[in-house]
Amino acid sequence: MNLVRLAMTAVVLVAGVGVTADAHAGTGRLTDLDRLRRDTAAVHALGLPGVQARLVTPNGRTVVATAGVADLRTGHAVPPDGRFRIASTGKALIATVMLQLVAEGRIGLDDPVEKWLPGVIRGNGNDGRAITVRHLLQHTSGLHDDLPDFATAADYREHRYDVYTPARLLARTLRHTPDFTPGTAWRYSNVGYIVAEMVIDEVTGRPWHEEVRQRVLAPAGMRDTTWPGNLPTLPGPHARGYHEFGAGELTDVTEQVIVDGGAAFVSTTADVNRFFRALLGGRLLPPAQLAEMTRTMPLGPEFEELLPGARYGLGLFERPLPCGGTYWSHPGGGSGYTSDNGVTHDGRRSVSVSVSGTRPGLALQHQRATDTVVENALCGPRGL
């Protein structure tokens, strides 16, 4: 259950809407609080169990809205500071570390992968000599995604504790021919980022997730973000994650080992906001490397309908705003949770959304509803 699966592939749950905010006095226009509460409730109304969203305004004011329930069995409310798996949002963390290493002169974006992982990517037309670090981060490597996934609830129960090494995951990919010649097209590739993690290990001599912790989480003040390794549980508080395997039936999939390490990070909406504000605010990368990260290209066809008008840089999506201009983001989906987020170009206005439920048949409606949360939050009063 990853972002690609959700892209390619309703009973409405009745619950209250909870809001905490530093609200403005009425002005005859919808406030940030009004919009966030309304838009969060609309996501929940699709039949998604729980939603939390957090907006940070340019003056540092925080607005938080929740809708639905954290647990379908108990009916407990969604915690406004609940933890969740950020899934592919973790790719932005990995890309940031890689670009820091570029800034330090320890690796080049146009280095072939073969330089750091000699002989590792070979076979069936796959060749690490033709794939660069830039290709990995940009989803232009041509490496075919073949990550294990759960097809049914029974499959989940049987395989939720399975553990895969990066080498074993890469071996699955190498059974396939490349999707295209490296650098000639764009296609979302989780395995490309798994290879990037392997490169970070080799360049630094340390585990890639430790480099993320030291280089990104600590300086950004992300104290509630952790990497669980092969631990299948989440620290509290958290909403439980659900996935729809069959029509109308939600299975609790909270407890599982996340085989894609970069998708395993557990965070909060507050910490995700801290990351994107620090990144676009220039506190994690020098200007030259931030410019490389935000140099974008069009998406491949499987993502164009899901994210219309979006472009991709190195670990970041650039998306249009209805009020004009664009914003930066990296959504994630799978493992019973989806996340969306956005930050303005100056890093001063940001929003993060977590949804504790995945329904593949509603992937497009789900994305449109969370897009509305993000766009209205970033546009502010001008957007309505």
Side-chain angles (χ1 to χ4, degrees), residues 44-256:
H44 166 57
L46 291 173
L48 298 163
V51 189
Q52 60 162 306
R54 182 180 302 261
L55 163 69
V56 183
T57 66
N59 64 6
R61 189 173 66 92
T62 297
V63 182
V64 182
T66 66
V69 296
D71 189 322
L72 292 176
R73 182 178 56 85
T74 66
H76 289 159
V78 174
D81 58 349
R83 291 171 168 83
F84 56 94
R85 296 186 177 106
I86 66 173
S88 283
T89 301
K91 290 179 172 62
L93 308 179
I94 295 162
T96 300
V97 169
M98 192 71 84
L99 285 159
Q100 289 179 350
L101 294 172
V102 170
E104 294 165 10
R106 300 176 68 179
I107 191 171
L109 281 174
D110 297 315
D111 284 356
V113 172
E114 180 78 7
K115 176 178 178 179
W116 301 104
L117 303 174
V120 170
I121 300 181
R122 293 289 176 86
N124 289 322
N126 298 284
D127 189 346
R129 294 168 296 186
I131 299 171
T132 67
V133 172
R134 186 189 304 275
H135 292 149
L136 297 176
L137 301 183
Q138 194 177 49
H139 296 304
T140 54
S141 69
L143 291 171
H144 182 79
D145 249 0
D146 182 14
L147 298 190
D149 205 352
F150 307 123
T152 64
D155 194 25
Y156 160 74
R157 287 188 287 269
E158 182 178 356
H159 295 289
R160 58 181 166 164
Y161 302 125
D162 290 358
V163 174
Y164 288 79
T165 64
R168 186 179 173 192
L169 293 173
L170 180 58
R172 292 171 63 103
T173 283
L174 297 179
R175 295 184 306 195
H176 302 270
T177 59
D179 290 340
F180 49 82
T181 301
T184 64
W186 188 96
R187 179 170 292 175
Y188 199 86
S189 174
N190 293 291
V191 75
Y193 272 76
I194 291 170
V195 175
E197 294 159 14
M198 297 168 70
V199 170
I200 292 172
D201 290 346
E202 185 65 28
V203 172
T204 66
R206 285 163 36 92
W208 65 270
H209 52 87
E210 282 298 314
E211 292 293 324
V212 171
R213 183 189 61 78
Q214 178 179 314
R215 291 170 170 273
V216 179
L217 306 187
M222 300 168 68
R223 294 179 295 276
D224 294 320
T225 301
T226 56
W227 188 75
N230 293 324
L231 186 69
T233 56
L234 278 74
H238 64 80
R240 301 197 68 79
Y242 298 91
H243 183 75
E244 184 182 47
F245 291 105
E249 179 184 351
L250 286 169
T251 299
D252 187 331
V253 295
T254 308
E255 190 166 314
Q256 60 174 283

Side-chain angles (χ1 to χ4, degrees), residues 349-368:
R349 192 171 181 96
S350 65
V351 61
S352 178
V353 185
S354 172
V355 182
S356 51
T358 47
R359 291 181 180 267
L362 290 175
L364 190 58
Q365 298 97 311
H366 180 162
Q367 186 64 53
R368 293 290 178 269

Side-chain angles (χ1 to χ4, degrees), residues 337-358:
Y337 300 90
T338 63
S339 58
D340 209 343
N341 41 67
V343 62
T344 53
H345 279 248
D346 59 7
R348 298 183 65 233
R349 192 171 181 96
S350 65
V351 61
S352 178
V353 185
S354 172
V355 182
S356 51
T358 47

